[in-house]
Amino acid sequence: MSISVLVVDDSALIRSLMTQIIANHPDLNLVGTAPDAYVAKDMVKRFSPDVITLDIEMPKVDGLTFLDRLMKAKPTPVVMISTLTEKGADATMLALELGAVDFIPKPKIDVQAKFLAFQQLVTNKIIAAAGARVKKRVANETVTKTQLSYSGTELIVGIGASTGGTEAIKDLLVRLPASFPAVVMTQHMPPGFTTSFAKRLNGQCALTVKEAQHNERLLPGHVYLAPGDQHLSVIKYGSDYRTQLSDEGRVSGHKPSVDVLFDSLAEHVGHNAFGVILTGMGRDGAQGMRAMHDKGATTFAQDEATCVVYGMPKEAVKRGGVDKSLPIPEIAKQLTEAIRSKARGNRL
């Protein structure tokens, strides 16, 4: 069964490019293109598309306003088309908060090879979005923070996510207290966007969130996010743990890769590590979580019912690397409890 797609973009060039890409894929069906939100609104009513690609910067009504109204009235999987600027990255983070499933950086197409790569990216993201769970936007729920008093450096938490992960990560981190073990995390995202994501999280959480730099000492109460174009791993350095950034090629199809992070936690942190794998397409992180589990780490996966895309957690469960599959509020509680128990045991 083909996936019906509506393209909303004020750029005639982008509309033409997306039309070409969608027309060339056997599983995609372009139901229409709209130059602005007013035309898009009518087309949504008329065609009820499976997926909408939506430009952020449009005349009359901008993409964010249209998205906000759409997710309240008729929740539909939306993939944002975003410019590679700081302003564009900030707007993209807001779009993901408003309910967009994913985003695609607006291309600078100058050679055929780049077009082919962009074509692959667009079709993959649209197909993933078609299978995503989207919910009607409601008022923000009251979040209850877990309680913990931890100031040591021997325990480390690793988090991995992809499609739908920005909101899942935020939902988890806002529930955690400032006195918490160091957290290292990889979210599949291009360079530039991770900077904006870290800044946004830092303003929303009790923990200090930053984009990871090379060879940083991991400190409790801090969260270190892999930069969008580098792998993040952890090594033991004397009695401390430190970050390592690598420019190696893609691993498990991604850069940064969750497997790279989780494998390093398995090797260097072992039973003092905690792993969390959240919503995402594909299988990145599944093998690394199994490695962590085999070394005695405590591991959690987001449950199928609450994932936007149940891909990475499903693969991790299938490989036997997950102790418990839970919704995010319960992960926060049980992760905190496991850390409290481990810290107490390490002191004995």
Side-chain angles (χ1 to χ4, degrees):
M1 193 172 124
S2 68
I3 297 163
S4 60
V5 185
L6 171 64
V7 172
V8 185
D9 204 300
D10 68 323
S11 163
L13 178 64
I14 295 293
R15 291 198 305 275
S16 170
L17 187 64
M18 297 294 281
T19 298
Q20 184 183 342
I21 289 170
I22 292 163
N24 284 339
H25 198 286
D27 297 330
L28 303 181
N29 171 38
L30 182 72
V31 294
T33 64
D36 60 51
Y38 292 109
V39 177
K41 182 183 173 185
D42 291 339
M43 286 189 162
V44 168
K45 283 181 182 173
R46 184 175 164 196
F47 297 114
S48 290
D50 297 319
V51 178
I52 298 170
T53 69
L54 177 61
D55 186 19
I56 289 178
E57 296 165 359
M58 294 193 299
K60 301 175 187 173
V61 176
D62 66 63
L64 293 175
T65 304
F66 176 76
L67 175 67
D68 189 33
R69 292 171 183 170
L70 176 75
M71 297 312 288
K72 287 173 180 170
K74 186 180 173 59
T76 305
V78 173
V79 178
M80 303 303 294
I81 309 293
S82 172
T83 52
L84 279 165
T85 63
E86 189 175 340
K87 184 183 172 190
D90 289 344
T92 301
M93 292 305 109
L94 179 55
L96 295 169
E97 276 189 26
L98 292 173
V101 172
D102 210 339
F103 68 95
I104 299 166
K106 198 166 270 193
K108 292 177 182 174
I109 306 291
D110 48 15
V111 292
Q112 185 67 14
K114 282 191 179 177
F115 171 75
L116 293 172
F118 182 69
Q119 179 175 256
Q120 188 69 51
L121 180 68
V122 168
T123 53
N124 286 349
K125 298 248 183 189
I126 289 174
I127 291 166
R133 290 179 183 83
V134 292
K135 295 179 285 190
K136 187 172 279 197
R137 280 199 69 226
V138 293
N140 288 340
E141 62 166 319
T142 305
V143 171
T144 306
K145 267 196 175 52
T146 60
Q147 301 295 313
L148 183 70
S149 180
Y150 179 85
S151 58
T153 57
E154 77 276 13
L155 305 181
I156 307 290
V157 177
I159 300 173
S162 186
T163 313
T166 55
E167 281 305 283
I169 285 171
K170 184 188 83 171
D171 193 22
L172 177 58
L173 293 186
V174 295
R175 297 172 191 277
L176 304 179
S179 53
F180 202 78
V183 178
V184 283
M185 60 188 191
T186 292
Q187 159 74 43
H188 297 158
M189 197 176 270
F193 291 91
T194 43
T195 308
S196 180
F197 182 39
K199 281 182 186 169
R200 197 167 188 85
L201 286 174
N202 190 52
Q204 295 166 325
C205 306
L207 294 154
T208 299
V209 185
K210 68 190 297 291
E211 200 172 35
Q213 295 175 302
H214 184 64
N215 206 33
E216 279 187 281
R217 180 176 173 236
L218 294 183
L219 298 172
H222 286 66
V223 180
Y224 304 85
L225 175 67
D229 55 353
Q230 295 180 80
H231 295 300
L232 172 64
S233 58
V234 172
I235 60 162
K236 188 136 176 67
Y237 189 84
S239 60
D240 296 325
Y241 293 104
R242 290 184 178 267
T243 60
Q244 297 289 290
L245 297 181
S246 157
D247 199 28
E248 299 293 319
R250 290 170 177 262
V251 174
S252 304
H254 295 279
K255 183 181 177 183
S257 162
V258 181
D259 272 328
V260 169
L261 178 61
F262 284 0
D263 281 341
S264 73
L265 293 174
E267 182 180 352
H268 297 286
V269 188
H271 66 91
N272 280 330
F274 300 81
V276 180
I277 194 162
L278 301 172
T279 175
M281 180 176 65
R283 59 174 62 91
D284 185 29
Q287 170 257 317
M289 181 158 267
R290 176 60 198 259
M292 288 181 70
H293 187 268
D294 289 349
K295 289 291 182 75
T298 303
T299 55
F300 299 92
Q302 187 175 356
D303 66 337
E304 182 175 3
T306 64
C307 278
V308 172
V309 177
Y310 188 59
M312 287 159 51
K314 180 182 180 181
E315 286 294 325
V317 169
K318 201 188 287 185
R319 295 188 189 202
V322 176
D323 290 321
K324 293 180 180 179
S325 291
L326 302 164
I328 287 172
E330 200 56 37
I331 290 177
K333 285 182 197 168
Q334 296 204 23
L335 172 63
T336 303
E337 199 46 57
I339 289 166
R340 183 180 289 113
S341 176
K342 173 64 84 171
R344 195 182 297 129
N346 284 356
R347 285 198 300 268
L348 296 176

